[in-house]
Amino acid sequence: MSGSSSIVAMKKIVQQLRLEAGINRVKVSQAAADLQQFCLQNAQQDPLLTGMSSSNNPFRPQKVCSFL
Amino acid sequence: WINTTFMAFCHIYSLVMAFRACLEEVQLNETLTHLKTESETLKSKLEDERAKLHDVELHQVAEKVEGLGQFVMKTRRTLKGHGNKVLCMDWCKDKRRIVSSSQDGKVIVWDAFTTNKEHAVTMPCTWVMACAYAPSGCAVACGGLDNKCSVYPLSLDKNENLAAKKKSVAMHTNYLSACSFTNSDMQILTSSGDGTCALWDVESGQLLQSFHGHAADVLCLDLAPSETGNTFVSGGCDKKANVWDMRSGQCIQSFETHESDINSVRYYPSGDAFASGSDDATCRLYDLRADREVAIYSKESIIFGVSSVDFSLSGRLLFGGYNDYTINVWDVLKGTRVSILFGHENRVSTLRVSPDGTAFCTGSWDHTLRIWA
């Protein structure tokens, strides 16, 4: 009966919503501060951010050595 | 008079049955209405709970952070060899090999340092929309319009026919949109146009867990960084991004703020957030602990959809590949664009930062892949 199958579907939706409504959340200010801290802590180890020198980056053209 | 009484009983009986049927239907409708009301109430409760904690914007918190300078990023390598649109690519953990797949059915493994092709496989279908490198570097997985995900062990012998050792792992009822090995070569996670994601055992091909919840095609997925635990995020044509528990199959969080299909999702390196790219021309950042969207990366001048996103190693930069052939680089904290990169001659369809963060690779409908650094 289509009536009972849509009830089953609705029950699933309600169950899912109950689950999602019940989770613990932190304030955006706290979450944002943590994201920022992670960025800053790892900034030095980020080659694309710091623009590491050609000698360390395997994809950048190597400096040419010349004999004097 | 027995007949008349009997007839009367039948009549009453049928009346009672009709009455019961009516009553049942009324009860069903009442239950349905109750459930609908409860679902509306829960949805607005969810909105309220999320709004309560929205005390500040990410870019406000980041005001005191030093701005980023000029970036000089150029194409350092161009990988030519595909005969048609490049649809997907993935890096090997060795930071130099790349696997890419194309509309022409070819899957190619490249050495990105030398641009040499190391392996090539022709799939039995066109539109190979997904490919992934195994963590060991010894195999690749791919699939697309064949509705399957197949694993090819890579042999050291270049002359060996890779197709002979092919192993069919996943079976969906519609196209395969994305695939990824989990922490080992033994399990593969897939997403499909059939609206589901699934976890498979590579050796036996057995379905270990399936994930139902999207209301339309699932287009992308990304596994949480291993330290964070057994979750992954998926994005789909229903404009939703869902976070799943891999063991239970449960959807634990769901985000619906995009205005169109979500083409790409990628976890922030700490695992506490993820970014998404959509046909609505925006990238967005969702924080998992705040359970809400915390940033939108958009500009009025950007009107073409985002096909693919990835973070730099520290999470400060977000790279987006767009359908207008460009790559936009965003400052994740401040929400501003720091660079726009040109080079591809058609849509950018796929973008991944290398495992050690020294470069990123893009694949395009112009048949090429480019390495940028």
Side-chain angles (χ1 to χ4, degrees), chain B residues 24-334:
Chain B
E24 267 175 29
E25 201 180 313
V26 167
Q27 282 176 338
L28 267 169
N29 281 336
E30 260 182 36
T31 319
L32 205 62
T33 320
H34 270 149
L35 286 171
K36 281 191 180 148
T37 319
E38 190 176 356
S39 108
E40 292 308 310
T41 317
L42 283 168
K43 276 188 195 159
S44 69
K45 180 178 179 205
L46 211 72
E47 270 175 44
D48 286 342
E49 292 296 315
R50 282 173 171 170
K52 265 188 221 168
L53 300 164
H54 187 199
D55 52 351
V56 78
E57 298 290 335
L58 173 61
H59 62 84
Q60 289 172 295
V61 169
E63 254 163 25
K64 302 184 200 109
V65 175
E66 214 180 290
L68 297 171
Q70 279 292 0
F71 280 94
V72 178
M73 269 179 243
K74 293 190 207 163
T75 303
R76 304 292 175 174
R77 303 281 191 283
T78 305
L79 305 179
K80 294 187 187 173
H82 276 295
N84 212 322
K85 307 178 172 70
V86 177
L87 302 174
C88 189
M89 58 82 37
D90 191 18
W91 288 89
C92 177
K93 284 210 157 77
D94 71 1
K95 312 156 210 165
R96 70 184 280 172
R97 281 177 183 77
I98 284 178
V99 63
S100 62
S101 64
S102 156
Q103 185 194 340
D104 65 358
K106 289 242 174 20
V107 175
I108 301 180
V109 176
W110 315 75
D111 177 336
F113 285 1
T114 61
T115 75
N116 288 341
K117 297 180 207 30
E118 295 199 340
H119 302 273
V121 175
T122 307
M123 293 279 287
C125 66
T126 57
W127 288 90
V128 187
M129 297 174 230
C131 63
Y133 229 116
S136 67
C138 297
V140 293
C142 52
L145 284 187
D146 57 352
N147 299 358
K148 297 190 210 164
C149 184
S150 309
V151 175
Y152 292 85
L154 297 173
S155 88
L156 291 168
D157 177 3
K158 295 214 177 152
N159 293 323
E160 185 168 357
N161 182 13
L162 287 183
K165 294 241 172 95
K166 162 177 163 176
K167 183 182 260 164
S168 262
V169 175
M171 279 286 324
H172 278 280
T173 54
N174 209 324
Y175 64 89
L176 187 83
S177 54
C179 63
S180 173
F181 284 86
T182 60
N183 294 330
S184 74
D185 284 20
M186 299 286 83
Q187 290 181 354
I188 285 191
L189 194 58
T190 57
S191 65
S192 166
D194 67 14
T196 70
C197 299
L199 181 66
W200 311 81
D201 176 271
V202 173
E203 196 55 52
S204 63
Q206 195 187 9
L207 174 67
L208 299 171
Q209 185 62 262
S210 67
F211 306 88
H212 298 261
H214 278 287
D217 306 21
V218 188
L219 298 178
C220 51
L221 60 84
D222 191 36
L223 275 143
S226 36
E227 312 80 50
T228 332
N230 283 335
T231 60
F232 74 94
V233 60
S234 65
C237 290
D238 57 358
K239 312 175 201 168
K240 279 196 183 157
N242 290 339
V243 180
W244 308 86
D245 178 314
M246 274 170 68
R247 286 201 207 98
S248 67
Q250 187 86 46
C251 172
I252 49 187
Q253 281 172 282
S254 186
F255 304 89
E256 195 174 350
T257 61
H258 270 293
E259 293 165 19
S260 187
D261 298 0
I262 298 180
N263 298 314
S264 176
V265 285
R266 195 74 68 211
Y267 268 94
Y268 186 77
S270 72
D272 287 333
F274 69 89
S276 57
S278 161
D279 274 349
D280 68 7
T282 70
C283 302
R284 293 175 197 238
L285 186 69
Y286 298 91
D287 188 288
L288 294 171
R289 298 176 318 140
D291 186 40
R292 60 171 298 127
E293 174 193 293
V294 292
I296 304 185
Y297 307 99
S298 66
K299 267 178 117 67
E300 262 180 49
S301 53
I302 301 177
I303 56 173
F304 283 83
V306 189
S307 64
S308 195
V309 295
D310 204 355
F311 287 100
S312 70
L313 227 54
S314 67
R316 182 68 192 270
L317 298 176
L318 180 68
F319 300 96
Y322 288 70
N323 292 343
D324 63 2
Y325 317 174
T326 66
I327 294 137
N328 287 296
V329 187
W330 302 89
D331 179 332
V332 170
L333 299 178
K334 292 191 181 283

